[in-house]
Amino acid sequence: MPARAKLFPVKHVIALDVGGTGMKAALVGADGTLLHEARRATGRERGAEAVVESILGFAADLRAYGEEHFGESAVAAGVAVPGIVDAENGIAVYASNLGWRDVPMRQLLGGRLGGVPVALGHDVRTGGLAEGRIGAGRGADRFLFVPLGTGIAGAIGIAGTIEAGAHGYAGEIGHIVVRPDGPDCGCGQRGCLETLASASAVSRAWAAASGDPEADAADCAKAVESGDPAAVEVWRNAVDALAAGLVTALTLLDPRTLIIGGGLAEAGETLFTPLRAAVEERVTFQKLPHIVPAALGDTAGCLGAGLLAWDLLSTEVSA
Ligand SMILES: [Zn+2]
C-alpha cells in the first residue's frame, strides 16, 4: 500500500479523538476512507501540560506519516476533546479528567502542523456528528445522539450540523432531573438522569443488588437475559429513568431519529426492546422517533473529527 500511495499523492486530513486515557487517530481521505489508524496514551498521569504535548506530538507524527506514505502532508486537522470546548475560538476550556484549563488548542496544533487549518470539537458532539452523518442517523435531518457511558451526554443534530448552544452546553441531557429525591450528582443537583441510567449507575446498582462489588452493567444485562429477578428490577429502574429523560428531550427537540450509544447500548435488544416500550408508553401528542443503536462504536469521535476537518476546508473554499 505505501508503494502505491507514493506514486499517487493522496489528499487527506488528520483526525484525532482525545479521551481520558487514550487517543485515537486516523488519516482520512476526501471520500471518508481511513488511510491509516493509530492509538496512543494521553499520559495524563504526568499532568495537563504533558497531555497537551502528547497531543501535539501525536499530530506531528501523523503529519510525518502522511508525508512519507501518502505523498503529501495533511491539508487540515480535526480534533475532538472532552469537557468544555469553545469550538469557535479553538480553545479547550476545561476537562476534569485531563486537568487542563483554557488551552489554545487550535493555535498550538496549527503551529505544529505547518499552519494548516484546525477544527476543535467537543467529544460527544463530534461523535454525534459522525453518527448522524455516516452512522446510525445517516439521512436523518433531525437527530439526537445519547451515549450512555460513565455519564450521559447528548448531541443535537440539525440539518447535518450539531447545535452547541450559546455557551457550548447544549445537549447535556444527563443532567435533566428525573427523580427529584434521587442520588446526588456531581453537578450539584439530585436525581439527574446520569445518576440513574448511565452504564456506571447501572454497574453501581447491580454491584449493590448482587453483592458482588466487581459486577458491572454488562453482567447485569446478562443476568436480565437469564431472568434474574433482582437484575430485572435494577434494569427496569434504569430503563424507566432513561425513558423519562428521553421523553423530556424529544418533547423539546422532536428528533426523527434517537441514537443510543455507549457501554449500556451494547446490551442490544435487552435495552432497546424495553426502552422503546417505555418511551412509547410515556408519549401523548409527541411523535415517536426511530430509536436505534449507535453504529460507529468508539470510532465515532475520530470519524467525526475527520468530518470537522473536511468541513473546515469546504467552508474555506466557499467563503
Ligand atoms: Zn447532574
Side-chain angles (χ1 to χ4, degrees):
M1 182 172 76
R4 178 191 63 87
K6 268 179 190 163
L7 288 172
F8 306 98
V10 183
K11 198 173 179 185
H12 62 273
V13 298
I14 292 169
L16 184 52
D17 178 24
V18 180
T21 54
M23 302 184 278
K24 295 179 205 77
L27 298 180
V28 187
D31 59 354
T33 309
L34 292 177
L35 302 167
H36 170 64
E37 288 177 85
R39 290 180 183 238
R40 195 175 282 187
T42 54
R44 69 168 165 178
E45 62 286 353
R46 289 181 282 117
E49 271 181 42
V51 172
V52 173
E53 189 46 47
S54 301
I55 294 169
L56 298 178
F58 197 13
D61 290 350
L62 290 159
R63 179 171 192 259
Y65 188 96
E67 274 172 6
E68 189 181 337
H69 296 270
F70 301 107
E72 62 179 62
S73 56
V75 289
V79 182
V81 297
I84 301 165
V85 179
D86 177 353
E88 206 173 320
N89 296 303
I91 294 169
V93 178
Y94 174 69
S96 58
N97 53 353
L98 296 172
W100 63 41
R101 272 189 192 277
D102 298 319
V103 179
M105 199 64 85
R106 184 167 67 199
Q107 191 193 334
L108 293 172
L109 279 161
R112 199 66 77 91
L113 296 173
V116 299
V118 175
L120 186 70
H122 171 267
D123 55 357
V124 173
R125 289 198 285 270
T126 304
L129 178 69
E131 283 290 354
R133 227 189 266 175
I134 58 175
R138 197 172 187 147
D141 52 347
R142 296 281 191 286
F143 67 88
L144 177 65
F145 169 55
V146 181
L148 310 170
T150 313
I152 296 180
I156 302 164
I158 299 171
T161 62
I162 302 292
E163 172 58 41
H167 310 94
Y169 291 92
E172 291 293 354
I173 185 179
H175 299 284
I176 286 179
V177 175
V178 290
R179 303 268 185 274
D181 54 352
D184 289 333
C185 179
C187 77
Q189 270 288 2
R190 293 187 66 186
C192 290
L193 179 59
E194 77 171 31
T195 68
L196 299 155
S198 62
S200 299
V202 174
S203 293
R204 278 194 302 274
W206 179 233
S210 67
D212 174 1
E214 301 293 309
D216 65 9
D219 298 322
C220 186
K222 280 187 214 119
V224 169
E225 285 152 23
S226 64
D228 183 318
V232 168
E233 195 187 333
V234 165
W235 202 253
R236 188 188 302 130
N237 285 338
V239 169
D240 280 351
L242 184 55
L246 291 175
V247 168
T248 300
L250 68 89
T251 304
L252 284 173
L253 300 170
D254 186 22
R256 202 171 305 278
T257 305
L258 182 49
I259 307 165
I260 310 290
L264 208 60
E266 284 165 25
E269 285 308 310
T270 304
L271 177 68
F272 283 89
T273 301
L275 180 61
R276 290 187 187 104
V279 169
E280 196 166 354
E281 202 174 277
R282 281 174 170 76
V283 298
T284 54
F285 66 91
Q286 303 93 332
K287 296 289 179 201
L288 269 181
H290 300 290
I291 302 179
V292 297
L296 304 174
D298 71 351
T299 61
C302 189
L303 292 167
L307 293 174
L308 285 180
W310 282 114
D311 282 3
L312 202 56
L313 292 170
S314 61
T315 319
E316 289 202 337
V317 169
S318 60

